[in-house]
Amino acid sequence: MGMLAILVSLLLLMFLAYRGISVLLLAPLMAALAVLLSGDGALLLPTYTETFMRALGNYVIQFFPLFLLGALFGQLMADSGAAHSISNGIVKRLGTHHVVLTVVMACAVLTYGGVSLFVVAFAIYPISRELFRQANVPKRLIPASIALGSFTFTMTALPGTPAIQNAIPIPYFGTNSFAAPGLGVIAGLIMLGLGTYYLQSRVNKAAANVEGYGNHTEREADANSDTTSAPSMPLAIALIPLVMVIGLNALFTYGVFPAMNLSFISDAFDNVTPSRQTGLWAILISLLSASAWLIITRWRHWQDLKATINQGCFGSLLPIFNTASEVGYGAVIASLAGFAIIRDAVLNVSPNNPLISEALAMSVLAGITGSSSGGLSIALQTLGSEYLTMAQQAGINPELMHRVATLAAGGMDTLPHSGAVITLLAICGLTHRQSYGNVAMVTIVLPVAALVSVITLGTLFGSF
């Protein structure tokens, strides 16, 4: 009965989220339903206040600064004209003969530099639309091109990426954002190379079938994606904040923090282990520094700096609380008796290789929640300590566990009910029927192939 209760609540969560109901409401309601169906109705209110809200609050405490600074930096990049300058610069260099690669690389540069994938989608879509129209390439391929550059290798694979998905495993495994850099680069190249090849094959097939851009009413996101009013910025200057994010992150991760004696922090805060936090602190410092650089150096060019800062800060609230609500839901599910059966089944999938078990857990939960960060957080919240223990017993470097976790969470997170997919299609003014098949290929099939490759290499050669 306990397992049935979990299954019913999960299926309803997926269905209702796909229908557009906010996770802020769905998560506590579906958690309550699971409790009631499990026969623990008498514990409903304390489960909500002590389990759901405590897990939600702990997640906000841990990751809200990263969401806040990430959203603020993205808004500053957009409103300063830096994002537009970078995307235009890439367009000029790659031109309209390689429209797919142009869009993918423009998205990749921005997201790897710390710009929110939603900000990137809004910024890149108008440019993509004109490129695809000029090249007479079907518009239905635009979402997959944006998704490949924004939702895949720069989010989960490339070492040092400031994406929240790459930061979540840090406190659980005591790693940093550059964990298993060699394997991350290999996974990134697999996704980029195969993804670009696949999309280009779709372009060639469309050309052979004499399928052009198509007839579309361009009403989609013009009001939200108008970048013509953004101030101009030289490309070299626009790239500086992106370089700062990655460079400062690496500097503090490998240089500043390792050279410091941080024992005084443990003396002052009993529950803080510096080695498990410095990776996250490095990302925060780099985002804050890059944001400050943008504000100061563009001081005379802001149209409305206060509005930009406010919009960036407010833009962090919905993502953080959506994800935190999913974490609260996961904590309630993990507290139910039926979850013990599921947990034991997942942990015993491959007792000799926890990488496979971990990949399965992250993939399933990311698929259920429609969110890589949500699934990753739930999985590590409930199973993180077990996986660390299993890795230590098997002699597996925690960095490899970190990289496999992020790659797995970024594989099944774009099922049809995913909020990111729904938002992207809305920005482009297209439907699931028109574009989802190609989106699924580049954001699910190929990332899973990269994940399998990393698990295989990691098992054979260890972390590198």
Side-chain angles (χ1 to χ4, degrees):
M1 192 63 189
M3 289 187 63
L4 180 62
I6 293 173
L7 180 62
V8 170
S9 73
L10 286 175
L11 291 176
L12 280 174
L13 177 66
M14 293 174 65
F15 174 75
L16 294 174
Y18 178 72
R19 302 292 295 179
I21 299 178
S22 172
V23 169
L24 292 176
L25 180 62
L26 276 181
L29 287 180
M30 292 304 102
L33 177 63
V35 172
L36 291 173
L37 293 179
S38 296
D40 296 326
L43 300 176
L44 180 60
L45 290 178
T47 298
Y48 175 72
T49 57
E50 299 304 315
T51 303
F52 183 94
M53 288 306 300
R54 190 177 296 278
L56 182 152
N58 288 339
Y59 185 85
V60 172
I61 289 171
Q62 194 164 31
F63 293 112
F64 178 65
L66 185 55
F67 276 85
L68 175 66
L69 291 177
L72 175 60
F73 176 66
Q75 197 64 49
L76 290 169
M77 285 290 292
D79 290 356
S80 67
H84 190 62
S85 296
I86 292 169
S87 56
N88 275 342
I90 293 174
V91 168
K92 290 178 181 178
R93 282 156 178 78
L94 296 180
T96 59
H97 297 295
H98 308 282
V99 291
V100 168
L101 182 60
T102 299
V103 172
V104 170
M105 294 309 299
C107 293
V109 169
L110 291 172
T111 50
Y112 188 49
V115 181
S116 162
L117 59 89
F118 293 111
V119 172
V120 170
F122 276 114
I124 296 298
Y125 169 67
I127 298 170
S128 306
R129 182 182 61 199
E130 295 308 313
L131 278 175
F132 275 61
R133 182 188 287 120
Q134 292 175 26
N136 203 28
V137 174
K139 180 186 175 183
R140 61 183 176 82
L141 296 175
I142 292 179
S145 301
I146 293 176
L148 177 59
S150 304
F151 297 3
T152 60
F153 60 97
T154 58
M155 185 178 79
T156 61
L158 295 188
T161 176
I164 183 65
Q165 291 81 359
N166 195 38
I168 289 172
I170 290 174
Y172 296 98
F173 296 134
T175 52
N176 57 61
S177 61
F178 293 87
L183 290 170
V185 169
I186 291 172
L189 290 175
I190 290 173
M191 286 184 259
L192 172 61
L194 294 181
T196 304
Y197 175 81
Y198 169 79
L199 290 177
Q200 188 58 49
S201 72
R202 299 302 90 193
V203 171
N204 296 338
K205 183 176 180 179
N209 294 334
V210 197
E211 178 188 358
Y213 180 79
N215 296 319
H216 301 276
T217 301
E218 306 295 356
R219 54 169 176 74
E220 313 88 355
D222 292 348
N224 299 312
S225 57
D226 179 21
T227 57
T228 58
S229 60
S232 61
M233 182 185 294
L235 178 60
I237 302 299
L239 287 170
I240 291 177
L242 302 187
V243 174
M244 286 181 66
V245 170
I246 303 301
L248 288 176
N249 186 5
L251 176 64
F252 278 88
T253 297
Y254 292 113
V256 176
F257 285 136
M260 296 175 63
N261 181 2
L262 301 177
S263 59
F264 68 93
I265 295 177
S266 299
D267 296 336
F269 297 90
D270 295 334
N271 60 340
V272 174
T273 304
S275 62
R276 290 181 174 269
Q277 297 294 332
T278 53
L280 183 61
W281 294 342
I283 300 176
L284 296 178
I285 292 171
S286 64
L287 286 172
L288 180 61
S289 300
S291 297
W293 188 93
L294 271 171
I295 292 173
I296 294 170
T297 59
R298 303 295 294 173
W299 187 259
R300 296 183 179 180
H301 301 276
W302 293 107
Q303 296 178 348
D304 191 342
L305 179 59
K306 182 175 70 174
T308 293
I309 293 176
N310 287 342
Q311 187 174 352
C313 293
F314 296 151
S316 68
L317 297 180
L318 185 58
I320 179 67
F321 279 100
N322 273 342
T323 306
S325 294
E326 292 170 344
V327 171
Y329 170 81
V332 172
I333 296 299
S335 70
L336 301 178
F339 182 79
I341 301 174
I342 300 174
R343 181 195 61 204
D344 292 342
V346 170
L347 290 174
N348 292 322
V349 165
S350 180
N352 296 324
N353 191 345
L355 295 174
I356 297 175
S357 171
E358 181 190 44
L360 178 63
M362 306 301 161
S363 297
V364 169
L365 287 168
I368 289 170
T369 60
S371 165
S372 53
S373 57
L376 189 60
S377 300
I378 293 171
L380 290 177
Q381 192 99 359
T382 56
L383 300 172
S385 59
E386 283 89 343
Y387 281 128
L388 181 59
T389 300
M390 291 171 66
Q392 292 170 342
Q393 292 174 348
I396 295 175
N397 191 322
E399 289 196 9
L400 180 54
M401 299 294 289
H402 174 130
R403 189 55 55 207
V404 167
T406 59
L407 289 170
M412 299 298 292
D413 61 324
T414 48
L415 293 175
H417 66 289
S418 166
V421 170
I422 293 171
T423 300
L424 176 60
L425 293 177
I427 291 172
C428 298
L430 294 166
T431 65
H432 281 74
R433 181 186 296 273
Q434 292 171 306
S435 298
Y436 181 71
N438 292 311
V439 171
M441 176 60 73
V442 300
T443 63
I444 297 177
V445 176
L446 299 183
V448 169
L451 170 64
V452 171
S453 300
V454 167
I455 291 176
T456 302
L457 290 173
T459 301
L460 293 174
F461 304 108
S463 178
F464 59 89

